[in-house]
Amino acid sequence: MAELNEIIASHFLPVYTAGQMRRTDAAAIRGLGIPGTVLMERAGMAVAEHLLEHFCEHHCFVVLAGKGNNGGDGFVIARHLIEAGADVRVLAVATAREYRGDALVNLKVLGKMGFDVIHAPGTAALKRALSADCIIVDAIFGTGFSDEPRGKAAEFIGIARSTSENQGLPVVAVDIASGVDASTGAAAATTLPANTTVTFHVPKVGHFVAPGSYYTGDLVLADIGIPESCSVPADHFLIDPDVLAAIVPPKMDYDHKFSVGRVLVAGGSTGLSGAACMAAESALRAGAGVVTAAVPASLNHVFEEKLLEVMTLPLPDNGAGRLATAGLEKLLDASESVDCIALGPGLGRDPGSASLAVKFMTACEKPVVLDADGLNAFASKAGALKKRRSATVLTPHAGELASLLDVPTGEVTAGRLEHARTTARKTGAIVVLKGSFTIITDGKTTLLNPTGNPGLATAGSGDVLTGVIASLLAKGLDPLIAAGAGVFLHGLAADMAADDLGKDNLIASDLIEYLPLAFASLGEEDHEDQFHG
């Protein structure tokens, strides 16, 4: 585990919480003596350069400045835009006497330049200022924000949002979209969506965790000169394809089908046979040498006809095409000769099938990827999974995670990160919480995934993911890395498929076809391409 953490910390891009960024700033300012005004100048200049590069000085810019350091960044941005000859208006949420520190320094600089900042404007004045065809620069709240906007700041956000949506005005956020919690990705009811976010030093958790990720837009990372020695340890990291290229083992000349991973997929039922088929096929496409599908005996002929390269293992069923507990011993025996089991795709919710899943998980001593109705078999009893002695990877969507924890689905959706970490600690498993910017965590270290698109919102895409992760686990990868790599490659296959087919027309079997291209591209991706929301 120590070696794994060293690999992740040394090679994956850190993603900070607000507290970690605050401590890093303090190490630079108080520890090394770099003035805060210098960091603020560099941050504001980076945003101004981005604005001038993408919109040029002929555009009108409206800078919305909060009363903290984010507002100070806004004042620096305004100054550089003014010096470039742009038409700039600055509206501040607070009166001049409410500003302090570095923000006040830069507010005074604008005054000495003869530039008038509009402080705490009334509703009508704010609407007039935003009515022109302008670029909105959101410098209201920074990474220290949490909870709900109030007062004039809430009014700024509300009017800017409605104006942007009604008139199609671009919004560029400074560090993070106002209303998003940088540490959790939680979003306030009053949040200003950005088309682009320019952030500093390292990305923040809120950029990559929904619902905050929905408000980020394209993410631009700016270096503001904080020395690496000031960076504090992170516990969230962005998955890097270059690192995966070095970790995911290729097939070598001396390999054979039994040495590159043996996977057993257990599931399938009447009406849900496709789920088990896709999990099995994707395990093969992800490089497993041998895949066997353990399926209801009465449906075995279906799987035999569908799966040409996959072997089948008929198990006792209840006569209606659903696995029964009578098949437990046969399933356990089969698990002894494989490297990983994928349990749950297409299993169904028959009580006998659920009982089989629970008893198998208790007795099996091999790594297991538990998905779909395999997860539902543990509804309200997630703690029972902690008794397992071998690696477990859980791949729930928000509803399945809510069922595991016995909480409302909306609660999970609103706090995805914390609920994923809680489940990992409670079960002792790696949790892969599927959705926009899928979260992968062992409860301590969390990997965030930059790949994927809305085309993944289609039946069967989760079954494909289960097969990919099972294949990588079968190859001997650490469970956290196997889960992270599987999620990244699954999302990358979706991105490649969407480029050719369109995300609106994507189906799960397309993902299987594009998996080889995704694997082949590891190490070839432009690292900057990860920064898009």
Side-chain angles (χ1 to χ4, degrees):
M1 180 59 73
E3 182 180 352
L4 169 68
N5 289 337
E6 184 177 338
I7 290 173
I8 292 175
S10 300
H11 300 291
F12 281 20
L13 182 69
V15 180
Y16 274 0
T17 63
Q20 289 163 342
M21 191 66 237
R22 190 162 48 246
R23 293 195 296 275
T24 296
D25 282 339
I29 296 169
R30 294 197 291 271
L32 294 184
I34 300 174
T37 50
V38 170
L39 297 181
M40 185 173 287
E41 178 70 19
R42 291 172 176 169
M45 184 182 297
V47 178
E49 288 175 348
H50 176 84
L51 291 168
L52 291 169
E53 179 182 351
H54 289 81
F55 299 105
C56 83
E57 69 276 11
H58 301 298
H59 281 80
C60 164
F61 298 92
V62 175
V63 179
L64 304 179
K67 61 184 294 186
N69 282 343
N70 204 242
D73 293 340
F75 298 145
V76 175
I77 294 165
R79 171 162 49 83
H80 285 285
L81 293 175
I82 293 165
E83 290 173 348
D87 177 8
V88 182
R89 274 163 275 174
V90 180
L91 288 79
V93 303
T95 61
R97 64 177 178 272
E98 294 179 79
Y99 283 90
R100 301 287 185 272
D102 299 335
L104 178 59
V105 169
N106 282 290
L107 175 60
K108 287 181 175 179
V109 171
L110 283 179
K112 291 176 181 178
M113 291 173 61
F115 183 85
D116 291 328
V117 173
I118 304 171
H119 288 279
T123 302
L126 179 58
K127 288 182 177 179
R128 282 197 303 272
L130 288 168
S131 64
D133 183 17
C134 288
I135 313 302
I136 298 173
V137 180
D138 171 15
I140 302 171
F141 290 125
T143 58
F145 170 84
S146 60
D147 199 21
E148 287 285 337
R150 292 178 176 83
K152 186 59 71 173
E155 184 181 19
F156 268 45
I157 293 172
I159 293 175
R161 177 168 183 165
S162 62
T163 304
S164 171
E165 291 174 348
N166 292 336
Q167 299 185 30
L169 303 183
V171 176
V172 176
V174 179
D175 217 0
I176 197 162
S178 290
V180 172
D181 188 317
S183 298
T184 67
T190 305
T191 299
L192 181 54
N195 299 92
T196 301
T197 297
V198 181
T199 196
F200 314 121
H201 188 57
V202 297
K204 313 307 182 293
V205 173
H207 296 141
F208 292 103
V209 174
S213 57
Y214 305 148
Y215 297 95
T216 299
D218 291 341
L219 185 60
V220 177
L221 182 60
D223 180 1
I224 58 172
I226 297 177
E228 186 58 36
S229 61
C230 297
S231 295
V232 302
D235 45 17
H236 301 78
F237 300 88
L238 196 64
I239 300 171
D240 188 327
D242 294 332
V243 178
L244 297 185
I247 293 176
V248 176
K251 291 181 179 179
M252 306 300 289
D253 290 344
Y254 51 76
D255 276 320
H256 51 81
K257 64 182 179 182
F258 297 115
S259 68
V260 294
R262 299 163 296 175
V263 174
L264 178 66
V265 176
S269 60
T270 298
L272 297 172
S273 60
C277 287
M278 284 188 287
E281 289 179 322
S282 61
L284 275 178
R285 281 296 190 189
V290 178
V291 178
T292 303
V295 298
S298 62
L299 300 179
N300 187 64
H301 65 284
V302 175
F303 291 93
E304 290 273 16
E305 292 175 6
K306 173 65 176 174
L307 299 172
L308 300 181
E309 296 92 353
V310 175
M311 295 184 291
T312 64
L313 174 66
L315 294 179
D317 63 39
N318 64 357
R322 296 177 177 85
L323 291 174
T325 52
L328 177 62
E329 290 305 319
K330 192 173 181 180
L331 186 59
L332 285 170
D333 287 345
S335 71
E336 290 299 315
S337 61
V338 300
D339 302 300
C340 182
I341 299 92
L343 175 62
L347 185 67
R349 299 196 181 189
D350 180 79
S353 301
S355 177
L356 172 68
V358 172
K359 291 179 179 179
F360 178 82
M361 291 297 290
T362 301
C364 178
E365 296 186 356
K366 293 293 183 73
V368 175
V369 181
L370 190 64
D371 184 33
D373 286 323
L375 289 165
N376 289 323
F378 286 88
S380 304
K381 47 188 177 185
L385 289 164
K386 200 162 190 177
K387 298 176 182 178
R388 294 201 76 240
R389 292 186 291 272
S390 296
T392 308
V393 177
L394 312 179
T395 59
H397 54 57
E400 290 162 343
L401 192 71
S403 180
L404 277 174
L405 296 177
D406 196 21
V407 300
T409 300
E411 189 175 311
V412 172
T413 302
R416 285 170 51 82
L417 181 60
E418 187 52 42
H419 282 89
R421 291 191 299 214
T422 296
T423 305
R425 292 191 291 265
K426 190 170 185 177
T427 61
I430 305 300
V431 173
V432 176
L433 180 53
K434 295 180 291 195
S436 177
F437 289 106
T438 292
I439 296 166
I440 307 101
T441 185
D442 63 2
K444 295 180 180 179
T445 300
T446 299
L447 303 181
L448 302 173
N449 179 52
T451 64
N453 61 75
L456 287 170
T458 185
S461 65
D463 304 307
V464 175
L465 175 61
T466 294
V468 176
I469 295 174
S471 178
L472 294 173
L473 265 178
K475 291 177 180 296
L477 268 66
D478 175 272
L480 183 63
I481 293 293
V487 169
F488 182 94
L489 289 159
H490 177 260
L492 185 56
D495 291 340
M496 291 176 164
D499 285 343
D500 290 343
L501 308 173
K503 64 180 182 292
D504 293 331
N505 310 106
L506 203 63
I507 60 175
S509 57
D510 295 329
L511 302 176
I512 300 173
E513 295 302 315
Y514 278 83
L515 280 173
L517 293 176
F519 274 82
S521 73
L522 283 183
E524 298 177 3
E525 291 295 299
D526 181 354
H527 191 63
E528 293 300 316
D529 287 345
Q530 294 186 21
F531 300 108
H532 294 286

Short mmCIF file of all heavy atoms in Angstrom, two decimals, residues 233-277:
data_model
loop_
_atom_site.label_atom_id
_atom_site.label_comp_id
_atom_site.label_asym_id
_atom_site.label_seq_id
_atom_site.Cartn_x
_atom_site.Cartn_y
_atom_site.Cartn_z
N PRO A 233 0.57 17.73 1.05
CA PRO A 233 0.11 16.43 0.53
C PRO A 233 -1.37 16.47 0.16
O PRO A 233 -2.18 17.12 0.84
CB PRO A 233 0.37 15.47 1.69
CG PRO A 233 1.43 16.13 2.52
CD PRO A 233 1.16 17.61 2.40
N ALA A 234 -1.71 15.77 -0.91
CA ALA A 234 -3.11 15.70 -1.37
C ALA A 234 -3.66 14.31 -1.10
O ALA A 234 -2.91 13.34 -0.90
CB ALA A 234 -3.19 16.00 -2.86
N ASP A 235 -4.97 14.19 -1.06
CA ASP A 235 -5.60 12.87 -0.97
C ASP A 235 -6.59 12.65 -2.11
O ASP A 235 -7.27 11.64 -2.15
CB ASP A 235 -6.27 12.64 0.38
CG ASP A 235 -7.10 13.83 0.84
OD1 ASP A 235 -7.42 14.69 0.01
OD2 ASP A 235 -7.43 13.89 2.04
N HIS A 236 -6.66 13.60 -3.03
CA HIS A 236 -7.44 13.46 -4.26
C HIS A 236 -6.50 13.66 -5.44
O HIS A 236 -5.66 14.56 -5.42
CB HIS A 236 -8.56 14.50 -4.33
CG HIS A 236 -9.52 14.44 -3.19
ND1 HIS A 236 -9.24 14.95 -1.95
CD2 HIS A 236 -10.78 13.92 -3.11
CE1 HIS A 236 -10.28 14.76 -1.14
NE2 HIS A 236 -11.21 14.14 -1.82
N PHE A 237 -6.67 12.83 -6.47
CA PHE A 237 -5.77 12.89 -7.61
C PHE A 237 -6.53 12.66 -8.90
O PHE A 237 -7.51 11.91 -8.94
CB PHE A 237 -4.67 11.82 -7.48
CG PHE A 237 -3.83 11.96 -6.24
CD1 PHE A 237 -4.21 11.36 -5.06
CD2 PHE A 237 -2.66 12.71 -6.27
CE1 PHE A 237 -3.45 11.50 -3.91
CE2 PHE A 237 -1.90 12.86 -5.12
CZ PHE A 237 -2.29 12.25 -3.94
N LEU A 238 -6.06 13.31 -9.96
CA LEU A 238 -6.64 13.14 -11.29
C LEU A 238 -5.91 12.01 -12.01
O LEU A 238 -4.68 11.98 -12.05
CB LEU A 238 -6.52 14.44 -12.08
CG LEU A 238 -7.40 14.58 -13.32
CD1 LEU A 238 -8.87 14.58 -12.95
CD2 LEU A 238 -7.05 15.87 -14.06
N ILE A 239 -6.66 11.08 -12.55
CA ILE A 239 -6.07 9.93 -13.24
C ILE A 239 -5.29 10.41 -14.46
O ILE A 239 -5.80 11.21 -15.25
CB ILE A 239 -7.15 8.92 -13.64
CG1 ILE A 239 -7.88 8.41 -12.39
CG2 ILE A 239 -6.54 7.75 -14.40
CD1 ILE A 239 -9.11 7.57 -12.70
N ASP A 240 -4.08 9.91 -14.61
CA ASP A 240 -3.18 10.34 -15.68
C ASP A 240 -2.94 9.18 -16.64
O ASP A 240 -2.45 8.13 -16.23
CB ASP A 240 -1.85 10.79 -15.06
CG ASP A 240 -0.92 11.44 -16.07
OD1 ASP A 240 -0.94 11.03 -17.25
OD2 ASP A 240 -0.16 12.34 -15.69
N PRO A 241 -3.24 9.36 -17.94
CA PRO A 241 -3.05 8.26 -18.90
C PRO A 241 -1.60 7.83 -19.05
O PRO A 241 -1.32 6.66 -19.33
CB PRO A 241 -3.60 8.84 -20.21
CG PRO A 241 -3.57 10.32 -20.03
CD PRO A 241 -3.81 10.55 -18.57
N ASP A 242 -0.66 8.76 -18.88
CA ASP A 242 0.75 8.39 -19.01
C ASP A 242 1.15 7.41 -17.91
O ASP A 242 1.93 6.49 -18.14
CB ASP A 242 1.63 9.63 -18.94
CG ASP A 242 1.43 10.55 -20.13
OD1 ASP A 242 1.06 10.03 -21.20
OD2 ASP A 242 1.63 11.76 -20.00
N VAL A 243 0.62 7.63 -16.71
CA VAL A 243 0.92 6.72 -15.60
C VAL A 243 0.28 5.37 -15.86
O VAL A 243 0.88 4.31 -15.63
CB VAL A 243 0.43 7.32 -14.27
CG1 VAL A 243 0.70 6.35 -13.12
CG2 VAL A 243 1.13 8.65 -14.00
N LEU A 244 -0.96 5.38 -16.33
CA LEU A 244 -1.65 4.12 -16.62
C LEU A 244 -0.89 3.32 -17.68
O LEU A 244 -0.82 2.09 -17.61
CB LEU A 244 -3.08 4.37 -17.09
CG LEU A 244 -4.02 5.05 -16.09
CD1 LEU A 244 -5.43 5.11 -16.66
CD2 LEU A 244 -4.03 4.33 -14.75
N ALA A 245 -0.32 4.02 -18.65
CA ALA A 245 0.42 3.33 -19.71
C ALA A 245 1.59 2.54 -19.14
O ALA A 245 1.95 1.48 -19.66
CB ALA A 245 0.93 4.35 -20.73
N ALA A 246 2.17 3.05 -18.05
CA ALA A 246 3.30 2.37 -17.43
C ALA A 246 2.87 1.27 -16.48
O ALA A 246 3.66 0.38 -16.14
CB ALA A 246 4.17 3.39 -16.69
N ILE A 247 1.61 1.32 -16.02
CA ILE A 247 1.14 0.38 -15.00
C ILE A 247 0.36 -0.79 -15.59
O ILE A 247 0.50 -1.94 -15.15
CB ILE A 247 0.27 1.12 -13.96
CG1 ILE A 247 1.14 2.10 -13.16
CG2 ILE A 247 -0.41 0.14 -13.02
CD1 ILE A 247 0.36 2.93 -12.18
N VAL A 248 -0.51 -0.52 -16.57
CA VAL A 248 -1.34 -1.58 -17.15
C VAL A 248 -0.44 -2.51 -17.96
O VAL A 248 0.19 -2.09 -18.93
CB VAL A 248 -2.45 -1.00 -18.05
CG1 VAL A 248 -3.23 -2.12 -18.71
CG2 VAL A 248 -3.39 -0.12 -17.22
N PRO A 249 -0.36 -3.78 -17.58
CA PRO A 249 0.60 -4.68 -18.24
C PRO A 249 0.15 -5.10 -19.64
O PRO A 249 -0.98 -5.55 -19.83
CB PRO A 249 0.65 -5.89 -17.30
CG PRO A 249 -0.68 -5.89 -16.62
CD PRO A 249 -1.08 -4.45 -16.49
N PRO A 250 1.02 -4.96 -20.63
CA PRO A 250 0.69 -5.45 -21.98
C PRO A 250 0.92 -6.96 -22.05
O PRO A 250 1.60 -7.55 -21.20
CB PRO A 250 1.68 -4.70 -22.87
CG PRO A 250 2.88 -4.53 -21.98
CD PRO A 250 2.35 -4.33 -20.59
N LYS A 251 0.37 -7.60 -23.07
CA LYS A 251 0.66 -9.01 -23.28
C LYS A 251 2.06 -9.14 -23.88
O LYS A 251 2.41 -8.45 -24.84
CB LYS A 251 -0.39 -9.62 -24.23
CG LYS A 251 -1.77 -9.73 -23.60
CD LYS A 251 -2.78 -10.36 -24.56
CE LYS A 251 -4.15 -10.48 -23.90
NZ LYS A 251 -5.17 -11.06 -24.80
N MET A 252 2.84 -10.05 -23.29
CA MET A 252 4.23 -10.24 -23.71
C MET A 252 4.37 -11.52 -24.53
O MET A 252 3.46 -12.36 -24.57
CB MET A 252 5.13 -10.31 -22.47
CG MET A 252 4.98 -9.12 -21.53
SD MET A 252 5.36 -7.53 -22.30
CE MET A 252 7.14 -7.68 -22.47
N ASP A 253 5.52 -11.67 -25.17
CA ASP A 253 5.76 -12.84 -26.02
C ASP A 253 5.60 -14.15 -25.26
O ASP A 253 5.17 -15.16 -25.81
CB ASP A 253 7.17 -12.78 -26.61
CG ASP A 253 7.30 -11.68 -27.65
OD1 ASP A 253 6.25 -11.18 -28.11
OD2 ASP A 253 8.44 -11.31 -27.99
N TYR A 254 5.95 -14.14 -23.99
CA TYR A 254 5.93 -15.37 -23.20
C TYR A 254 4.57 -15.64 -22.55
O TYR A 254 4.38 -16.66 -21.89
CB TYR A 254 7.01 -15.33 -22.11
CG TYR A 254 6.97 -14.06 -21.27
CD1 TYR A 254 6.00 -13.85 -20.29
CD2 TYR A 254 7.91 -13.06 -21.48
CE1 TYR A 254 5.98 -12.69 -19.54
CE2 TYR A 254 7.90 -11.89 -20.74
CZ TYR A 254 6.93 -11.71 -19.76
OH TYR A 254 6.91 -10.56 -19.02
N ASP A 255 3.60 -14.73 -22.74
CA ASP A 255 2.28 -14.91 -22.12
C ASP A 255 1.44 -15.95 -22.86
O ASP A 255 1.66 -16.25 -24.04
CB ASP A 255 1.51 -13.58 -22.08
CG ASP A 255 1.88 -12.73 -20.89
OD1 ASP A 255 2.05 -13.30 -19.79
OD2 ASP A 255 2.00 -11.50 -21.04
N HIS A 256 0.47 -16.50 -22.14
CA HIS A 256 -0.54 -17.38 -22.73
C HIS A 256 -1.87 -17.00 -22.10
O HIS A 256 -1.95 -16.15 -21.21
CB HIS A 256 -0.20 -18.85 -22.50
CG HIS A 256 0.11 -19.19 -21.06
ND1 HIS A 256 -0.87 -19.41 -20.12
CD2 HIS A 256 1.31 -19.30 -20.42
CE1 HIS A 256 -0.32 -19.67 -18.95
NE2 HIS A 256 1.02 -19.62 -19.10
N LYS A 257 -2.96 -17.62 -22.56
CA LYS A 257 -4.29 -17.17 -22.16
C LYS A 257 -4.55 -17.28 -20.67
O LYS A 257 -5.36 -16.53 -20.11
CB LYS A 257 -5.36 -17.93 -22.94
CG LYS A 257 -5.41 -19.43 -22.66
CD LYS A 257 -6.46 -20.10 -23.52
CE LYS A 257 -6.50 -21.60 -23.27
NZ LYS A 257 -7.50 -22.27 -24.15
N PHE A 258 -3.83 -18.19 -20.00
CA PHE A 258 -4.06 -18.34 -18.56
C PHE A 258 -3.20 -17.40 -17.72
O PHE A 258 -3.43 -17.26 -16.53
CB PHE A 258 -3.78 -19.80 -18.14
CG PHE A 258 -4.70 -20.79 -18.79
CD1 PHE A 258 -4.19 -21.74 -19.67
CD2 PHE A 258 -6.06 -20.78 -18.54
CE1 PHE A 258 -5.02 -22.65 -20.28
CE2 PHE A 258 -6.90 -21.69 -19.15
CZ PHE A 258 -6.39 -22.63 -20.02
N SER A 259 -2.23 -16.74 -18.35
CA SER A 259 -1.33 -15.88 -17.59
C SER A 259 -1.71 -14.41 -17.64
O SER A 259 -1.12 -13.59 -16.94
CB SER A 259 0.11 -16.04 -18.10
OG SER A 259 0.25 -15.53 -19.41
N VAL A 260 -2.69 -14.04 -18.48
CA VAL A 260 -3.03 -12.62 -18.64
C VAL A 260 -4.37 -12.26 -18.02
O VAL A 260 -4.93 -11.21 -18.28
CB VAL A 260 -3.01 -12.23 -20.13
CG1 VAL A 260 -1.60 -12.33 -20.68
CG2 VAL A 260 -3.98 -13.07 -20.95
N GLY A 261 -4.89 -13.15 -17.17
CA GLY A 261 -6.12 -12.83 -16.46
C GLY A 261 -7.28 -13.73 -16.82
O GLY A 261 -7.66 -13.84 -17.98
N ARG A 262 -7.83 -14.40 -15.80
CA ARG A 262 -8.99 -15.26 -15.98
C ARG A 262 -10.16 -14.66 -15.20
O ARG A 262 -10.04 -14.42 -13.99
CB ARG A 262 -8.68 -16.67 -15.47
CG ARG A 262 -7.52 -17.36 -16.19
CD ARG A 262 -6.99 -18.53 -15.40
NE ARG A 262 -6.42 -18.10 -14.13
CZ ARG A 262 -5.96 -18.93 -13.19
NH1 ARG A 262 -6.02 -20.24 -13.37
NH2 ARG A 262 -5.44 -18.45 -12.07
N VAL A 263 -11.26 -14.43 -15.87
CA VAL A 263 -12.41 -13.75 -15.28
C VAL A 263 -13.64 -14.65 -15.32
O VAL A 263 -13.90 -15.29 -16.35
CB VAL A 263 -12.71 -12.42 -16.01
CG1 VAL A 263 -14.00 -11.78 -15.48
CG2 VAL A 263 -11.54 -11.46 -15.87
N LEU A 264 -14.37 -14.67 -14.22
CA LEU A 264 -15.65 -15.36 -14.14
C LEU A 264 -16.74 -14.32 -13.96
O LEU A 264 -16.69 -13.52 -13.02
CB LEU A 264 -15.65 -16.33 -12.96
CG LEU A 264 -16.94 -17.11 -12.68
CD1 LEU A 264 -17.24 -18.08 -13.82
CD2 LEU A 264 -16.84 -17.85 -11.35
N VAL A 265 -17.70 -14.27 -14.88
CA VAL A 265 -18.83 -13.35 -14.78
C VAL A 265 -20.05 -14.15 -14.33
O VAL A 265 -20.46 -15.09 -15.01
CB VAL A 265 -19.13 -12.66 -16.13
CG1 VAL A 265 -20.37 -11.78 -16.01
CG2 VAL A 265 -17.93 -11.83 -16.57
N ALA A 266 -20.61 -13.80 -13.19
CA ALA A 266 -21.76 -14.52 -12.65
C ALA A 266 -22.97 -13.60 -12.65
O ALA A 266 -22.97 -12.54 -12.02
CB ALA A 266 -21.48 -15.01 -11.23
N GLY A 267 -23.99 -14.00 -13.38
CA GLY A 267 -25.20 -13.18 -13.46
C GLY A 267 -26.09 -13.64 -14.59
O GLY A 267 -26.04 -14.79 -15.01
N GLY A 268 -26.88 -12.73 -15.09
CA GLY A 268 -27.83 -13.05 -16.16
C GLY A 268 -29.11 -13.62 -15.60
O GLY A 268 -29.12 -14.34 -14.60
N SER A 269 -30.19 -13.28 -16.21
CA SER A 269 -31.51 -13.81 -15.83
C SER A 269 -32.46 -13.50 -16.98
O SER A 269 -32.12 -12.77 -17.92
CB SER A 269 -32.01 -13.17 -14.53
OG SER A 269 -32.13 -11.77 -14.66
N THR A 270 -33.65 -14.04 -16.91
CA THR A 270 -34.65 -13.79 -17.95
C THR A 270 -34.88 -12.28 -18.11
O THR A 270 -35.17 -11.58 -17.14
CB THR A 270 -35.97 -14.48 -17.59
OG1 THR A 270 -35.74 -15.90 -17.52
CG2 THR A 270 -37.03 -14.20 -18.64
N GLY A 271 -34.72 -11.80 -19.31
CA GLY A 271 -34.89 -10.38 -19.59
C GLY A 271 -33.65 -9.55 -19.38
O GLY A 271 -33.60 -8.38 -19.77
N LEU A 272 -32.62 -10.13 -18.74
CA LEU A 272 -31.40 -9.38 -18.43
C LEU A 272 -30.14 -10.12 -18.87
O LEU A 272 -29.06 -9.90 -18.33
CB LEU A 272 -31.33 -9.11 -16.91
CG LEU A 272 -32.45 -8.25 -16.31
CD1 LEU A 272 -32.36 -8.24 -14.79
CD2 LEU A 272 -32.38 -6.83 -16.85
N SER A 273 -30.28 -10.99 -19.85
CA SER A 273 -29.11 -11.75 -20.29
C SER A 273 -28.05 -10.87 -20.94
O SER A 273 -26.85 -11.16 -20.87
CB SER A 273 -29.54 -12.85 -21.27
OG SER A 273 -30.16 -12.28 -22.42
N GLY A 274 -28.46 -9.76 -21.55
CA GLY A 274 -27.51 -8.87 -22.22
C GLY A 274 -26.48 -8.28 -21.28
O GLY A 274 -25.33 -8.06 -21.68
N ALA A 275 -26.86 -8.05 -20.02
CA ALA A 275 -25.93 -7.44 -19.07
C ALA A 275 -24.73 -8.35 -18.83
O ALA A 275 -23.57 -7.90 -18.86
CB ALA A 275 -26.65 -7.15 -17.76
N ALA A 276 -24.99 -9.62 -18.59
CA ALA A 276 -23.90 -10.56 -18.36
C ALA A 276 -23.07 -10.74 -19.63
O ALA A 276 -21.84 -10.87 -19.57
CB ALA A 276 -24.45 -11.90 -17.90
N CYS A 277 -23.72 -10.73 -20.78
CA CYS A 277 -22.99 -10.86 -22.05
C CYS A 277 -22.02 -9.70 -22.24
O CYS A 277 -20.85 -9.90 -22.61
CB CYS A 277 -23.96 -10.92 -23.22
SG CYS A 277 -24.88 -12.46 -23.37
#
